[in-house]
Amino acid sequence: MPDALTENMMAADAPCACDGGDHIERTNCFFCGYLCGFSATVRDGRVIDLKPDPTRYPYDPKVLAGCRRWRMNLDVLDHPDRINYPLRRVGERGANEWERISWDEALDDIANKLSGLRERYGAQTLCSMIGGPHTSFWPLHRFLNLFGSPNNMGIGQICWNPRIWMDVITFGWTIEADVIPGLTDCLVIWGTNPAQSDNSAWWQALRSMRDGSTPIIAIDPRYTQLAGIADVWLPVRPGTDCILALGMLNVIINEGLFDAAFVKDWCHGFEELSEHVQAFSPELVAQACGLNAEDVVRVARLWGNARAGALVSGRGIDQVGRNVAPTHRAICCLRAITGNIDKPGACLMTESSDFTTEYDLEMTAALSAEQRAACLNTPYTPLQCYEGFEYINSLTMQHGKPLPARYLTSAHPDLVLHAIETGEPYPVTALIVEATNPLLTYADTHRVFEAFQKLELIIVLEYWMTPTASMADYVLPAAGAIERPTFQQHGGVANIVYGGPAAVEPYYERRCDYDVFRELGLRLGQADAWPDETFKDAIASTLEPAGMSWESYCETGIYFQPPDPFKYLKPGPDGNPVGFATKTGKIELASEALTHLGGQRLPMPQPPITLCSEQTRALGVHLPLITGSRKQPYNASMYFNNPAFRKTSPYPVAEVSEATAKYLGIEPGSIVTLATDKGQANFVLKVAKMRDALVNADYGWWHPEWTPGAPGFGGMWESNINCLTSCSVETGEDMIGTWWYNAIDCVVFPAKEPLSFSRDNE
Ligand SMILES: Nc1nc2c(c(=O)[nH]1)N[C@H]1C(S)=C(S)[C@@H](COP(=O)(O)OP(=O)(O)OC[C@H]3O[C@@H](n4cnc5c(=O)[nH]c(N)nc54)[C@H](O)[C@@H]3O)O[C@H]1N2
Ligand SMILES: Nc1nc2c(c(=O)[nH]1)N[C@H]1C(S)=C(S)[C@@H](COP(=O)(O)OP(=O)(O)OC[C@H]3O[C@@H](n4cnc5c(=O)[nH]c(N)nc54)[C@H](O)[C@@H]3O)O[C@H]1N2
Ligand code: SF4
Ligand SMILES: [Mo]
């Protein structure tokens, strides 16, 4: 019996049996980073059916078989809650009272207001906020560069940048694990759980390696599905991963397991590193990390003996505040001294794109030196600012590879919020919010909310009336994936892009994000910078340098050139090997780049912070907290309006181990309040296999079925873990500014009132 998916596929392959007027269009999903290919049946400009298209990227029926979301692409097209027309606020901010206006009126209004604010306060008065990879952000960034605004808030510091920055500083470019079954001889998966965050091709590949021939090591305080297929599970104490990595280095160096020839030829600072790690004996490390010393030694030996060792890290260690850079640096050293760099089956250095780089797409060069200097990050985060970017970019440009500027310079939310609150060092009065829901996903919801009240102009591009959108002056209706062409590249640090065409023109008056920024640009004197009238034309121009036509992009859904291994050995202009694009030309175990910028040469673990005063601690039991571990079927603050999902995953959950539940004296299934000095939120307590004395809370929860806007804002005050978090730059990481979503603390106590989401409706 073919399953539903196979039937779908067979139907997709079969000749179209539809009415004369129907036709089939290729298109893509964009509900997650895979951008799976679909074929859509279109009748009179409407999609009437959608099927997986296994002939296009990612070419793997298993991806869709494991996905619960893809059918939603049809449901959301005509969903009654979609925003279909430009809206202008008429009531108080947040009152959810709107008038429908035309696009021309909206764009003229916004352009006039932005122009007026720029005259009054300077271009830096405009900031932006972006979120996870839901759309192409480069059109917004181009608009900002030409407008003169240096402050884009993103998710960079806590999602992607720490890895990218530390790889680039150590190796001269970024690294990807090159997992090849049969060749890879050790696989370390650190602080990521692809079973929930990437439950498709990558997770399937990992499962297929379960035969025991490649040792798999999972480093995660929770016993995830990944831990379930691993040979070793290290339930590390959150935030102590840097210490663990230094302990592994200690064993590998002291037992002589490193690749001595590679270290001699290609690593800078080995003696310094060797001396540095002597303080991190397995016993001391085990105590600090809450592990057994034997396990630390075992894992160190597995990795030390690997000659095709692949190491993948994730969000778990991207969000540990001060420890983020030292942890990633120590991991870079683990890869380097074992020679597991730029080698098949191990870790490969990626390439720069053959198609137009992100640096050029964003028109980075258009932002003047004066405006770069105005970026609020200067001098607080010396790497994550234009000075830091320019210095490191000058190193990677030795090999002709430009870094993407906007992510790596994105403004620190604490500094932007401070400028909104105080007008210092200059007034920030206007905000463009694209494809993000910061009232749920940025740290310190109360503070973000207060800051929104102070702004003169908020523009939100959205699908839905989210809590954030309800605070806007203008809400602009965004076209979804199958209503617009899609283009997903890896921030310009790899030679890959995928996506495809729109199946239909946008429904109602929705527009592709690109069109919005182009139209605003045209109204603000940027005509020369927007030669491509449509996003499709812009994608076609972007692909041109790679020799790929729009038609072949649509046909295959991908442009990809695999990176060459052993790039550092290739002869340079003088006939010698080119080496690495760092200051010393070698892999910098001791970082000359960070030293140059005033940072630490060697990875040094940092102490934890507390978000709970004595007064808060008196409320209940004080415990370490991690937030936001990914769970299907939701994604951050999205898809809570899917009734089938809500049926299977109805509540926001806080997980603890069985022993911890007993210690708390609270029955699983009860409602608990988690609190810090910043605020509180309610969750259903659940028991899970994980470290004792630790809480793991969901993130992103709100209630789209409740009334948007004041006072409840779709229930965003109920179970929003970011009511508890902080984005303080002072307690953040020194060089990048990363704040803490993991390895923080909270107080747990039984909720005083039943959860209001047990009500059917508000
Ligand atoms: N379903 C779903 N999928 C998603 C998303 C989503 O919201 N929902 N979001 C997407 C996005 S934006 C991202 S960035 C990726 C993230 O995807 P992943 O990198 O896989 O992130 P998580 O699933 O949160 O995994 C983090 C793991 O780190 C562990 N952890 C927490 N603190 C620590 C620590 O201090 N040390 C160590 N070693 N581990 C720790 C957690 O227990 C958790 O299992 O997922 C993407 N995919
Ligand atoms: N406590 C805590 N906070 C976290 C994290 C955590 O683990 N813990 N994770 C952090 C991470 S890694 C990330 S990436 C962020 C994610 O944070 P966000 O990106 O803010 O989260 P989403 O809920 O995915 O919000 C996306 C919004 O964009 C809209 N949207 C989707 N596609 C489009 C489009 O094409 N155009 C437009 N205009 N809008 C669109 C959706 O309707 C949705 O409202 O959260 C961060 N915050
Ligand atoms: S949600 Fe992701 S895996 Fe599922 S169809 Fe869409 S792009 Fe593919
Ligand atoms: Mo993310």
Side-chain angles (χ1 to χ4, degrees), residues 694-718:
L694 174 66
V695 187
N696 170 48
D698 285 353
Y699 98 115
W701 266 89
W702 63 294
H703 299 266
E705 71 280 15
W706 293 358
T707 315
F713 290 93
M716 79 160 176
W717 303 113
E718 289 268 337

Side-chain angles (χ1 to χ4, degrees), residues 76 124 129 144 148 154-155 175 263 366 370-371 419 540 620 639 732 748 758:
V76 301
Q124 62 274 19
M129 277 177 157
L144 292 172
I155 41 105
I175 303 288
V263 166
E370 193 190 341
Q371 290 310 102
Y639 317 133
V748 187
S758 47

Side-chain angles (χ1 to χ4, degrees), residues 226-248:
L226 175 78
I229 64 158
D231 298 271
V232 189
W233 170 45
L234 287 186
V236 65
R237 176 174 288 136
T240 63
D241 302 80
C242 176
I243 302 177
L244 173 60
L246 292 168
M248 289 169 65

Side-chain angles (χ1 to χ4, degrees), residues 169 268 329 588-596 600-602:
I169 271 164
H268 166 80
R329 285 269 300 127
E588 295 195 345
L589 304 175
S591 176
E592 298 303 335
L594 284 180
T595 308
H596 174 89
Q600 284 173 327
R601 294 174 68 71
L602 292 162

